[in-house]
Amino acid sequence: MTGDPDRTAEAASHDDAIAHLLAPQSVAIVGASSDPGRIGGRPVRYYRQAQFAGRLYPINPNRNEIQGYKAYPSVEDVPDRIDLAVLAIPAPQVTPVVEQCARKGARAVVVFSAGFAETTAAGAALQHELAATAAHHGVRVLGPNCLGLFNVRAGHFPTFSSFPEAGLPLPGRVGLVTQSGAYGTHVLMQARARRLGVNIWASTGNEADIDVAELVEALARDPDTDVIACYLEGVRSAAAFLRALGASHAAQKPVILMKVGRSAVGAAAAASHTASLAGSDAVFDAAIRPFGVERVDTTERLLDLAYAASRSRLPRGRRLGIVTISGGAGVLMADAAEKEGLEVPPMPAEVQQRLIAANPLGSPKNPVDITGQALNDFGLVRDHVAALLEEADYDSAVGFFTSWPASSAIGPRLQAALREGTKGRGERPMALVMLAPSPIQESYEDDGFLVFEDPSRAIAAIGGMARLAVRLAMPLHRERPELAATAQPLPGHRLSEAEAKRLLGTAGMNLLPERLVRSAAEARAAAAALGCPVAMKVASPDIAHKTEIGAVALGVTSPAAASHAFDEIMAATARGAPAASIDGVLVAPMAGDGVEIIVGARNDPVFGPVVMVGIGGIFVEVLKDVALRVGAVDRDEACRMLGELKGFALLAGARGRPRADLDAAADAIAQLSAYALANAGRFETIEVNPLLVRPAGQGAVVLDALVVPAGPPGVPADGG
Amino acid sequence: MTGDPDRTAEAASHDDAIAHLLAPQSVAIVGASSDPGRIGGRPVRYYRQAQFAGRLYPINPNRNEIQGYKAYPSVEDVPDRIDLAVLAIPAPQVTPVVEQCARKGARAVVVFSAGFAETTAAGAALQHELAATAAHHGVRVLGPNCLGLFNVRAGHFPTFSSFPEAGLPLPGRVGLVTQSGAYGTHVLMQARARRLGVNIWASTGNEADIDVAELVEALARDPDTDVIACYLEGVRSAAAFLRALGASHAAQKPVILMKVGRSAVGAAAAASHTASLAGSDAVFDAAIRPFGVERVDTTERLLDLAYAASRSRLPRGRRLGIVTISGGAGVLMADAAEKEGLEVPPMPAEVQQRLIAANPLGSPKNPVDITGQALNDFGLVRDHVAALLEEADYDSAVGFFTSWPASSAIGPRLQAALREGTKGRGERPMALVMLAPSPIQESYEDDGFLVFEDPSRAIAAIGGMARLAVRLAMPLHRERPELAATAQPLPGHRLSEAEAKRLLGTAGMNLLPERLVRSAAEARAAAAALGCPVAMKVASPDIAHKTEIGAVALGVTSPAAASHAFDEIMAATARGAPAASIDGVLVAPMAGDGVEIIVGARNDPVFGPVVMVGIGGIFVEVLKDVALRVGAVDRDEACRMLGELKGFALLAGARGRPRADLDAAADAIAQLSAYALANAGRFETIEVNPLLVRPAGQGAVVLDALVVPAGPPGVPADGG
């Protein structure tokens, strides 16, 4: 987001502080220990092992030397400026030391110490004081109660995670941010077992100051990071988090996101564990949708996709070529591909003919089965793979060779054939499924292949890459839908149906030519003017379920019948809702045929206005079949929303119906979303239910509308 | 299925032959090689390494000795009876050698040789000849074109799979059957990496004789097998396969089944790869549903679940207790639990109070977070785990301890605390998520814990175990619904709507008191007799879409109107379907309110009569929201079918509707299923669409019915 005009000097200064946090020249470790196993000893040990090129100053009043470094009694005794201080001291001492660090020029501190907001009210007060003091001195804080971070290329290890104990981390092009230090360490260990190098890792702990969003944004700017992985329990600031995703998108860096708390029990546990707003998981998904983000549910998926995306270009599209030496594995991978939204189209007919001529017992269609014949002629491997990538021109490919690479007799010939066969593949990713010792797998990785042991996991990673590629290719800043010039703002009070419809009309939505009548005579006249048949219903802000009390008449066939219906509706209302305030009776032409959809907006406490669309009735109410977006959507995006609905076939003309007017429906969605965004903060819910979408070319019309104004602060209304 | 009266002497003889296949006393290896890397050399090498206690006879005309065993020029030269022969010779030689083997008493042969039905028409003829000859001599055949099998406990290795090359397999209580030998080998290698021992493995190749079903049934009888894992591309005989699942269920052995070919591309590839009928994947799922089977989509799931189910009792239910030292991992596992259908209910309040008193910074609810405090007091681990398993009485538990077990300082204390805390857990499974070297993980396994490295995989395995437990606890032989004594058989010809309804009425389904009229006067009389309003529609076997041509009148309010409607319907029919044969017009009372469902049966080419239910209209047509069962269902099972529907809430009283008469709907489903089973072979489709399910207590009534008789053989009708 460099060059973004809303980034202030303060933000630039923050970036600078984050740069000091991630790659300082001088580091003080306060509470440093000679014991390399203790919290204050581990970072010293790791810096030493990594041969940190900057200056390291252990601080300990009882030692002159710690693990080979000269030690100082206090930060103030260090004869140098300090860029970053690491605090491994009891909580009550943290804030005073931060002040000392500030005087030595420190721009950032990493606070390991626990005993802050994660404990008691007193701890929370301590954390508040820490944050305020640090902010006052312009010092940024990572933590408290965090495991710190590392930057492998910089030899920078301000962490007491046990992860580097087993050896310094592998280099790699992945950056990882985890709120939980303990789970972050677990992820790092699983990553190492998978030969995935993480260059920068940071854990954010209590997030008194620096949060996950800011670190993701820093990784988006970091030239040594190509892929950002992130483990998240809650978002502290929606705006900051979306800005970070925007920065990653702008830098064309995929973000692989594991956000836990989808389930009810999980969300409750996350809300109590972190202090962040849980928010609605569905709205979270809608909010991250425009960005180059793949959300995953398991650590394996996180790591597999980070591995694949950091070692290979993303595929251009979803077309996958599968080549195996076992028919069964091909079937398995074709199944997995469908599940991942990949396509497995057949090879061109002439290529199939050529391949079958060379290998009569094989299946050259796709999945391609070379069969064990490959053992007799490795030229078959070369030719089939080349055909897959060149002539069939698939966007990505996967090959199943089980333990062949591990065999000293077979392996080298297979590897040579694969090298030759993939010479012309350009930058298309190709994964190989194999079981072989790590050094052999690495030799294939050195050839540019992705290596997996499980075929389903290989396909899942390719699927994730293809989705990321599509999202990263979508421009981030789309045309905002224009708010109609005639649009009138929402007032702060509760609206009648007629008022709600009138305001949506000013925003550009189509209404029926409706009349409010107050007598049987007026009803007769209205029916005559509008043309029969008409629909009539009581107009009252107090009655939600008008049909149930008999206050609706449909298909009224004549002006005389309308006069009669008026009296019946008023009588029914007097019986069914004697206390209701009555504005009169609405008379409108019958709307005709079409598909009823629901279009609405509500105000999400985390992400602001959210627009929703679903097909009327059971689809929304029973199946929860809705599509959501955060903010306003244009017509194209509204069309995509409709296309996501499980019941979309109804609009597209299922069951012999005519195709509905999708353009008109999309326009209505866009108009409502623009109106909602323009009125953000003034409503809890705006809902058109139903919007009647008529057959193609005949438009879409608002039949009923409801606006719930924003409640008083602290008393959120039920926003549906 | 021991004791099943339909098992014949032939079946018993088959069992005996399979026993010889799996654990023979004397084995001949025809085409044995001195080179332990060649196809004919590998089994000799494996037998030698395994110190096979039986007699091994390598057959090779050019050698006197092979790999230390005395060799013979031909089978006939062996001075002993042969139980089993392994054939590693060119395809054309196979059948003659099988005849020789038969003369030496062999009951079974394992045929490695390729060049049979998997190749050309000539190969298929060769295979046919092999199968016929073997059957004639009473010799059972595994293969051809298979990788063979092994039985670790018996030291029996008639296989050329490369799997045992890396060392003899681990012992274990899992049996594995795979159609594909290559993929089977891959699975075995993944299993070994996961420390999962497979005692018996068999690959079935072309299945000229012995198929997967027969081997699964053999494993169900094998006393050394507790869990059966199976990789399948297609089912050769539905009846045999279901009988095998029945035997496994009767033996209370879980079957974990990976059947590939779910996707369209995958199914097509499977059909071309194997010669088996692909069939409908949804029908396959319905067919295996009554048994103790968990179908999985990935090898990891197959192995994780086989590992868990073979090392631990299955849980009694779905209630899971989660204990962690990291809040984030608890949230992650709670999410995963919901996805797996497990429950994570809170700990009893008094237990929570006691735990929070001992550990004020922890979260004792569930997921339980001990936090890093556990490091200061391992008694907390003991007490929290004991509370989970004893007081809270969860059916299963999972603990997340990341790399703690790997630390020499922490590990032993953690292990001791876990041992103490789980003393009273009875047979409840408990999984631990840890990252540690294999010997340390094994020491926890020796304590009775299941060990996983990834938390999501631990939860998935527990979810699978819970589902298996529920299914194994369900009795297999449920009451068959009784066919009504009045039921009349379906004739072989196409039926009119009225005939179809009448026959379903004889089977016990409720009909409206409908009359067929042939004049306006008769219509008037019928309306008067039935009571208005009535519904009227043309009766014709030739008109499927009566509404579209105007041949339906609903809500006819008087006998006079009925007379008029008759004329209108006849006129509309003459215009819209001039060639149709007309039986008259059906007059019936209006059916009233209710939920329209579709109940049908169709004849599946693999599994026979399949009963289907769905909610009318869009649910079935747009959302494919249907529940299926193979064979007949009783009322309870029919209720479960209704409960599986996504739109079930509509029947249960969503949107302010009254609750529908579920009992009546279930009765109708059961009656239709019994009628379909009794008429198996005589119909392609029987469909009641709609069955109107009225509010509770008011019954369910057939409004329309369609019967498509069985088509001529080889021309299957489109069975919807």
Side-chain angles (χ1 to χ4, degrees):
Chain A
M1 299 284 272
T2 322
D4 184 336
D6 67 8
R7 281 184 65 78
T8 58
E10 187 190 330
S13 159
H14 277 188
D15 291 353
D16 193 39
I18 297 290
H20 279 87
L21 176 72
L22 295 179
Q25 293 302 313
S26 64
V27 178
I29 300 187
V30 188
S33 168
S34 293
D35 180 346
R38 299 195 61 174
I39 289 181
R42 286 188 192 179
V44 181
R45 169 184 162 191
Y46 300 150
Y47 276 111
R48 166 154 221 90
Q49 287 177 341
Q51 301 179 294
F52 177 54
R55 284 107 53 207
L56 191 76
Y57 302 111
I59 310 296
N60 185 324
N62 306 317
R63 304 268 174 179
N64 293 322
E65 174 268 320
I66 283 180
Q67 299 186 50
Y69 291 97
K70 177 169 168 46
Y72 297 85
S74 80
V75 169
E76 286 169 323
D77 295 314
V78 174
D80 187 8
R81 172 197 165 86
I82 290 169
D83 288 344
L84 174 75
V86 180
L87 310 193
I89 50 179
Q93 298 172 22
V94 166
T95 299
V97 171
V98 167
E99 287 185 305
Q100 293 172 20
C101 294
R103 285 194 290 273
K104 295 295 290 183
R107 303 294 309 281
V109 291
V110 175
V111 184
F112 291 169
S113 325
F116 288 92
E118 82 282 7
T119 59
T120 58
L126 216 53
Q127 181 169 322
H128 185 76
E129 189 200 347
L130 163 62
T133 303
H136 176 72
H137 291 288
V139 175
R140 304 300 310 278
V141 179
L142 184 69
N145 187 33
C146 78
L147 261 68
L149 64 95
F150 62 66
N151 179 341
V152 179
R153 284 195 179 75
H156 174 46
F157 282 86
T159 181
F160 69 99
S161 164
S162 61
F163 172 66
E165 270 184 9
L168 288 177
L170 300 166
R173 315 264 327 150
V174 174
L176 173 68
V177 187
T178 64
Q179 277 179 326
S180 162
Y183 200 70
T185 299
H186 196 86
V187 171
L188 287 167
M189 288 176 172
Q190 283 190 274
R192 171 145 49 195
R194 214 247 166 282
R195 279 198 314 282
L196 173 66
V198 172
N199 185 44
I200 292 180
W201 166 62
S203 70
T204 59
N206 288 7
E207 298 191 349
D209 175 16
I210 297 168
D211 65 359
V212 163
E214 202 167 350
L215 290 166
V216 168
E217 203 174 337
L219 291 174
R221 285 193 306 269
D222 177 52
D224 290 324
T225 300
D226 293 339
V227 173
I228 301 168
C230 183
Y231 168 88
L232 202 60
E233 288 159 18
V235 172
R236 197 151 294 247
S237 154
F241 188 68
L242 296 184
R243 197 180 63 202
L245 296 184
S248 311
H249 195 107
Q252 290 288 294
K253 295 185 184 180
V255 176
I256 306 158
L257 181 62
M258 183 169 185
K259 178 179 174 290
V260 297
R262 263 197 215 271
S263 65
V265 172
S272 88
H273 177 54
T274 67
S276 25
L277 271 171
S280 149
D281 200 73
V283 172
F284 180 86
D285 277 338
I288 64 174
R289 208 175 184 290
F291 303 97
V293 180
E294 170 82 351
R295 185 171 173 190
V296 295
D297 280 340
T298 69
T299 312
E300 276 187 357
R301 285 221 166 207
L302 183 83
L303 296 178
D304 281 349
L305 187 48
Y307 164 84
S310 66
R311 283 179 179 265
S312 164
R313 292 275 176 138
L314 299 180
R316 294 162 313 182
R318 300 184 181 276
R319 298 169 71 254
L320 172 69
I322 298 174
V323 59
T324 75
I325 45 86
S326 154
V331 177
L332 190 164
M333 293 195 286
D335 283 358
E338 184 182 84
K339 224 169 152 182
E340 291 291 328
L342 296 168
E343 294 159 24
V344 186
M347 293 267 255
E350 65 280 11
V351 178
Q352 289 194 42
Q353 279 160 22
R354 206 192 62 226
L355 293 174
I356 204 85
N359 185 28
L361 301 184
S363 300
K365 195 174 174 191
N366 191 22
V368 174
D369 182 9
I370 311 180
T371 77
Q373 288 302 318
L375 286 177
N376 300 326
D377 178 5
F378 281 90
L380 290 175
V381 172
R382 178 197 60 218
D383 295 345
H384 281 71
V385 167
L388 220 61
L389 291 170
E390 286 171 46
E391 289 153 295
D393 196 25
Y394 296 122
D395 301 316
S396 60
V398 62
F400 177 85
F401 295 99
T402 185
S403 61
W404 289 14
S407 151
S408 57
I410 301 171
R413 286 187 291 164
L414 174 68
Q415 192 160 14
L418 285 168
R419 274 185 197 142
E420 285 174 52
T422 53
K423 250 183 208 157
R425 76 181 163 120
E427 287 164 338
R428 273 165 289 210
M430 180 161 189
L432 299 178
V433 181
M434 65 171 70
L435 295 168
S438 220
I440 292 178
Q441 294 192 354
E442 279 170 45
S443 76
Y444 284 86
E445 287 171 344
D446 292 344
D447 287 346
F449 296 105
L450 301 171
V451 175
F452 292 83
E453 301 198 341
D454 184 281
S456 307
R457 286 174 64 175
I459 301 292
I462 293 173
M465 289 168 84
R467 286 188 292 275
L468 281 169
V470 168
R471 290 182 200 134
L472 282 170
M474 296 264 280
L476 202 51
H477 296 288
R478 282 194 293 272
E479 204 77 11
R480 263 201 184 180
E482 215 163 304
L483 181 65
T486 51
Q488 294 172 12
L490 280 177
H493 58 81
R494 198 175 171 90
L495 303 178
S496 70
E497 179 192 331
E499 283 173 288
K501 284 202 273 201
R502 191 186 59 79
L503 284 170
L504 291 171
T506 69
M509 298 183 82
N510 289 326
L511 308 175
L512 290 173
E514 180 176 79
R515 297 203 183 178
L516 182 68
V517 300
R518 292 193 174 76
S519 69
E522 282 182 23
R524 176 193 293 261
L530 293 168
C532 283
V534 293
M536 297 170 63
K537 65 180 161 185
V538 73
S540 163
D542 300 331
I543 308 175
H545 300 286
K546 302 180 173 82
T547 306
E548 281 78 347
I549 63 164
V552 175
L554 299 175
V556 179
T557 50
S558 68
S563 167
H564 181 65
F566 179 90
D567 293 336
E568 284 193 339
I569 285 173
M570 294 308 277
T573 304
R575 278 193 309 275
S581 128
I582 309 297
D583 298 332
V585 168
L586 289 168
V587 184
M590 286 295 285
D593 283 339
V595 180
E596 294 188 350
I597 71 172
I598 300 176
V599 182
R602 64 175 159 129
N603 190 55
D604 184 80
V606 179
F607 291 102
V610 174
V611 59
M612 180 272 278
V613 62
I615 290 173
I618 46 169
F619 276 89
V620 170
E621 296 178 34
V622 175
L623 302 177
K624 317 290 178 214
D625 178 24
V626 297
L628 300 177
R629 292 292 188 278
V630 168
V633 298
D634 62 11
R635 184 205 259 213
D636 289 348
E637 193 65 24
C639 267
R640 279 190 285 270
M641 292 176 74
L642 291 168
E644 283 168 26
L645 297 175
K646 296 191 198 88
F648 175 70
L650 280 183
L651 289 163
R655 309 187 69 205
R657 288 169 190 250
R659 185 177 170 84
D661 197 330
L662 295 176
D663 288 341
D667 278 339
I669 297 165
Q671 282 152 352
L672 186 136
S673 78
Y675 189 65
L677 199 64
N679 288 281
R682 283 202 281 273
F683 69 92
E684 202 50 56
T685 307
I686 302 175
E687 189 173 284
V688 173
N689 182 8
L691 178 80
L692 184 79
V693 188
R694 292 170 167 151
Q698 298 177 39
V701 61
V702 175
L703 295 190
D704 200 345
L706 173 74
V707 173
V708 178
V715 188
D718 175 13
Chain B
M1 298 288 269
T2 322
D4 184 336
D6 66 7
R7 280 186 66 80
T8 58
E10 186 189 332
S13 158
H14 276 188
D15 292 352
D16 193 41
I18 296 291
H20 279 87
L21 176 72
L22 296 179
Q25 294 302 313
S26 64
V27 178
I29 301 187
V30 187
S33 168
S34 294
D35 179 347
R38 296 193 64 171
I39 287 180
R42 287 189 191 180
V44 182
R45 169 182 163 193
Y46 300 150
Y47 276 111
R48 165 156 221 88
Q49 286 176 342
Q51 301 179 293
F52 177 54
R55 282 106 54 206
L56 192 76
Y57 302 111
I59 310 296
N60 185 322
N62 306 318
R63 304 267 171 177
N64 293 321
E65 173 269 319
I66 283 181
Q67 299 186 50
Y69 292 96
K70 175 167 169 51
Y72 296 86
S74 82
V75 169
E76 286 168 323
D77 297 313
V78 174
D80 186 8
R81 174 196 163 86
I82 290 170
D83 288 343
L84 174 74
V86 180
L87 310 193
I89 50 179
Q93 299 171 23
V94 167
T95 299
V97 172
V98 166
E99 288 184 304
Q100 294 172 20
C101 293
R103 286 194 290 272
K104 294 295 291 182
R107 302 292 310 282
V109 292
V110 175
V111 184
F112 293 168
S113 324
F116 288 93
E118 82 282 5
T119 58
T120 57
L126 217 51
Q127 181 168 321
H128 185 77
E129 189 199 349
L130 162 62
T133 303
H136 176 73
H137 291 288
V139 174
R140 304 299 310 278
V141 179
L142 185 68
N145 188 32
C146 78
L147 261 67
L149 63 95
F150 62 66
N151 179 341
V152 179
R153 283 193 181 77
H156 174 47
F157 283 85
T159 180
F160 70 99
S161 164
S162 61
F163 172 65
E165 271 186 9
L168 288 177
L170 300 167
R173 315 260 334 146
V174 175
L176 173 68
V177 187
T178 64
Q179 277 178 327
S180 162
Y183 200 69
T185 299
H186 196 83
V187 171
L188 287 166
M189 288 177 174
Q190 283 190 274
R192 169 142 53 194
R194 213 247 166 282
R195 281 197 313 283
L196 174 67
V198 172
N199 185 45
I200 292 180
W201 166 61
S203 70
T204 58
N206 288 7
E207 298 190 350
D209 175 14
I210 297 169
D211 65 0
V212 162
E214 201 166 352
L215 291 165
V216 167
E217 202 174 340
L219 291 174
R221 286 193 306 269
D222 177 52
D224 290 325
T225 300
D226 292 339
V227 172
I228 301 167
C230 183
Y231 168 89
L232 202 62
E233 289 159 17
V235 172
R236 195 151 297 247
S237 154
F241 187 68
L242 296 184
R243 198 181 62 200
L245 296 184
S248 312
H249 194 105
Q252 289 288 294
K253 296 185 184 180
V255 176
I256 307 159
L257 181 62
M258 183 169 185
K259 176 178 175 293
V260 298
R262 264 196 212 274
S263 66
V265 172
S272 89
H273 177 55
T274 67
S276 25
L277 271 171
S280 150
D281 200 72
V283 172
F284 180 84
D285 277 338
I288 65 173
R289 206 176 185 288
F291 303 97
V293 180
E294 170 80 353
R295 184 170 173 192
V296 295
D297 280 339
T298 70
T299 313
E300 275 188 357
R301 286 220 166 208
L302 183 84
L303 297 177
D304 282 349
L305 186 49
Y307 163 84
S310 66
R311 284 178 178 264
S312 164
R313 292 274 177 137
L314 299 181
R316 296 163 311 182
R318 299 184 182 275
R319 298 170 69 254
L320 172 69
I322 299 175
V323 58
T324 74
I325 44 87
S326 155
V331 177
L332 190 164
M333 292 195 287
D335 283 359
E338 183 181 86
K339 223 168 151 182
E340 290 292 328
L342 296 168
E343 296 158 22
V344 186
M347 293 267 255
E350 65 280 10
V351 179
Q352 289 195 42
Q353 279 160 20
R354 206 191 64 225
L355 293 173
I356 203 87
N359 186 28
L361 302 182
S363 300
K365 197 176 174 189
N366 191 24
V368 174
D369 182 10
I370 312 180
T371 78
Q373 288 302 316
L375 285 178
N376 300 324
D377 178 4
F378 280 91
L380 291 174
V381 172
R382 179 197 59 219
D383 295 346
H384 281 73
V385 167
L388 220 61
L389 291 170
E390 286 170 47
E391 288 154 297
D393 195 26
Y394 295 121
D395 301 317
S396 60
V398 62
F400 177 84
F401 295 99
T402 184
S403 61
W404 289 15
S407 153
S408 57
I410 300 170
R413 286 188 289 164
L414 174 69
Q415 191 159 16
L418 286 168
R419 274 184 197 144
E420 285 174 52
T422 53
K423 251 182 208 157
R425 76 183 163 120
E427 286 164 337
R428 273 165 289 210
M430 181 162 187
L432 299 178
V433 180
M434 67 173 68
L435 295 168
S438 220
I440 292 178
Q441 295 191 355
E442 279 170 43
S443 76
Y444 284 85
E445 287 171 344
D446 291 343
D447 286 346
F449 296 104
L450 301 170
V451 175
F452 293 84
E453 301 198 341
D454 184 282
S456 308
R457 285 173 65 176
I459 301 291
I462 293 173
M465 289 167 85
R467 286 187 292 275
L468 281 169
V470 168
R471 290 180 201 135
L472 282 169
M474 297 264 280
L476 202 53
H477 296 289
R478 281 194 293 271
E479 206 74 10
R480 263 200 184 181
E482 215 163 304
L483 182 64
T486 50
Q488 294 173 14
L490 279 176
H493 58 81
R494 196 174 173 91
L495 302 180
S496 71
E497 179 191 332
E499 283 174 288
K501 284 202 272 200
R502 191 186 62 76
L503 283 169
L504 291 172
T506 69
M509 298 184 82
N510 288 325
L511 308 174
L512 290 174
E514 183 176 78
R515 298 204 182 178
L516 184 65
V517 299
R518 291 193 172 78
S519 69
E522 282 182 22
R524 175 194 294 261
L530 293 167
C532 284
V534 293
M536 298 171 61
K537 63 180 164 184
V538 75
S540 163
D542 300 331
I543 307 176
H545 299 286
K546 302 180 174 80
T547 305
E548 281 78 347
I549 64 162
V552 175
L554 298 176
V556 178
T557 51
S558 68
S563 164
H564 181 64
F566 179 91
D567 293 336
E568 284 194 340
I569 286 172
M570 295 306 279
T573 304
R575 278 194 309 274
S581 127
I582 309 296
D583 298 329
V585 169
L586 289 167
V587 184
M590 285 296 285
D593 283 340
V595 180
E596 294 189 349
I597 71 173
I598 300 175
V599 182
R602 63 176 160 130
N603 188 57
D604 185 81
V606 179
F607 291 102
V610 174
V611 58
M612 180 273 279
V613 62
I615 291 175
I618 46 169
F619 276 89
V620 170
E621 296 179 36
V622 174
L623 302 177
K624 316 290 179 214
D625 178 23
V626 297
L628 300 177
R629 292 292 187 279
V630 168
V633 297
D634 63 9
R635 185 205 257 212
D636 290 348
E637 193 65 24
C639 267
R640 279 189 284 271
M641 292 176 74
L642 291 168
E644 283 168 25
L645 297 174
K646 295 191 196 88
F648 175 69
L650 280 182
L651 289 163
R655 306 188 73 205
R657 289 170 191 249
R659 185 176 169 86
D661 197 331
L662 296 177
D663 288 340
D667 278 338
I669 297 165
Q671 283 152 353
L672 186 136
S673 77
Y675 188 65
L677 198 64
N679 288 282
R682 282 202 281 273
F683 68 93
E684 201 51 56
T685 306
I686 302 176
E687 188 173 283
V688 174
N689 181 10
L691 179 79
L692 184 78
V693 188
R694 292 169 168 152
Q698 298 178 39
V701 60
V702 175
L703 296 190
D704 201 347
L706 173 75
V707 172
V708 179
V715 188
D718 174 10

